[in-house]
């Protein structure tokens, strides 16, 4: 196992870049490639971006409403970066604002989503996005199993949103 030393003045970005650039360790006794079972193409594909629809929507400075957006899967860097943010150190509740601003790739016509935009969202939309983040990063999908309170039938809904009555 190789050890990496970090100088006292090195920032998180420098350390993460160094780790990302390091070659992966080789396995001494690698199994022959022929012994590996063939994989299906469907299993190898990974969905990294998920579309969503906000319950209320973000209203920009011009008064335009933005409800549809996309969120990408979070990386380890996304999870670590807020830990060194001064706003998060002063107020730990700000962590979700910084984290969401890093993984939301688009919100309507807005492509530069930053913490200021997330700050101006309605609380219901932020709560929705926090749950959406948890679902796609922990469970890998946006579907949830639900039970009808009247007929007790079980079915699945897509929490990413859609037209009224669809989810």
């Amino acid at each position: 196992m190789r050890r990496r030393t970090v100088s006292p003045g090195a920032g998180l970005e420098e350390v993460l870049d160094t780790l990302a650039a390091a070659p992966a360790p080789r396995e001494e006794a690698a199994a022959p490639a022929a012994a590996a079972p063939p994989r299906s193409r469907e299993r190898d594909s990974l969905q990294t971006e998920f579309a969503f629809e906000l319950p209320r929507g973000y209203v920009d400075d011009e008064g335009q409403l933005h409800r549809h957006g996309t969120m990408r899967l979070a990386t380890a860097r996304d999870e670590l970066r807020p830990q060194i943010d001064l706003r998060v150190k002063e107020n730990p509740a700000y962590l979700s604002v910084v984290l969401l601003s890093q993984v939301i790739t688009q919100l309507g016509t807005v492509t530069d989503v930053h913490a200021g935009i997330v700050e101006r969202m309605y609380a219901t939309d932020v709560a929705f996005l926090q749950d959406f983040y948890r679902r796609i990063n922990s469970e890998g999908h946006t579907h949830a199993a639900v039970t009808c309170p009247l007929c007790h039938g079980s079915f699945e809904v897509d929490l990413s949103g859609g037209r009224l009555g669809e989810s």
Side-chain angles (χ1 to χ4, degrees), residues 57-129:
Y58 165 70
V59 180
D60 63 17
D61 294 334
E62 288 81 40
Q64 185 177 0
L65 181 67
H66 304 276
R67 291 189 68 198
H68 299 276
T70 55
M71 181 184 293
R72 66 174 173 77
L73 288 176
T75 63
R77 181 177 290 199
D78 293 325
E79 296 266 342
L80 293 171
R81 189 175 287 144
Q83 301 299 325
I84 61 170
D85 192 303
L86 293 177
R87 299 169 294 186
V88 174
K89 287 183 178 182
E90 291 175 9
N91 182 3
Y94 201 74
L95 174 91
S96 63
V97 171
V98 174
L99 190 55
L100 289 173
S101 69
Q102 292 180 152
V103 296
I104 298 173
T105 56
Q106 186 172 356
L107 187 57
T109 58
V110 180
T111 55
D112 180 26
V113 180
H114 51 81
I117 289 175
V118 178
E119 284 176 353
R120 295 192 319 251
M121 287 183 177
Y122 294 108
T124 53
D125 289 336
V126 173
F128 169 83
L129 289 170

Side-chain angles (χ1 to χ4, degrees), residues 125-137:
D125 289 336
V126 173
F128 169 83
L129 289 170
Q130 288 170 332
D131 184 57
F132 191 73
Y133 174 91
R134 182 187 56 77
R135 284 193 180 278
I136 67 172
N137 285 287

Side-chain angles (χ1 to χ4, degrees), residues 6-11 14:
V6 179
S7 62
E14 184 181 324

